Amino acid sequence: MKIRKHYFVSGRVQGVGFRYRAYYTAQSLGLIGYACNLPDGRVEVEVQGDEMSVRAFLDKVGEGTFISIDDVESYNMELKSESGFDMR
C-alpha cells in the first residue's frame, strides 16, 4: 500500500547534509517527494511510496554523521502524481 507523509523535521538538520542524505535515502528506497530548508531552521519533507519504506525513511536519514533529529511533525497526505525526489 502506498502512502504519502509530510514532515517538518527540527534539530541539527541544516548545513549538515540532511537534504542530500534524504535524496540518496529516498532513491535507495524507491520513494518520491522533496526536501527543502525552511527559514526557521527546520527541513520540510514530503515522501511517498510503500508504507514500510516511508516509515523507514527518517530513521535512515537520521543515521548521517552530523545529523541530529530532535523533533518531527508528521501529517498524512493524499498521494500525488510525480516522479523522483527533489532537493529544493
Side-chain angles (χ1 to χ4, degrees):
M1 178 175 157
K2 289 193 177 206
I3 64 169
R4 186 175 188 94
K5 290 284 199 175
H6 188 116
Y7 299 114
F8 290 105
V9 184
S10 60
R12 192 166 13 122
V13 293
Q14 286 193 16
V16 293
F18 182 94
R19 290 180 303 141
Y20 292 100
R21 182 116 176 115
Y23 174 82
Y24 289 110
T25 300
Q27 294 289 327
S28 72
L29 294 172
L31 302 174
I32 60 173
Y34 70 88
C36 68
N37 288 338
L38 297 175
D40 64 4
R42 298 179 301 164
V43 175
E44 178 182 26
V45 180
E46 281 191 20
V47 64
Q48 176 177 307
D50 70 84
E51 187 172 0
M52 188 176 225
S53 295
V54 169
R55 300 219 183 276
F57 173 78
L58 280 182
D59 288 335
K60 292 190 177 294
V61 172
E63 293 172 357
T65 306
F66 301 105
I67 295 167
S68 176
I69 297 173
D70 294 338
D71 188 49
V72 177
E73 293 176 46
S74 173
Y75 304 95
N76 295 321
M77 300 197 58
E78 296 290 325
L79 297 178
K80 292 184 180 177
S81 179
E82 63 185 340
S83 62
F85 191 90
D86 296 320
M87 290 186 299
R88 299 179 181 168

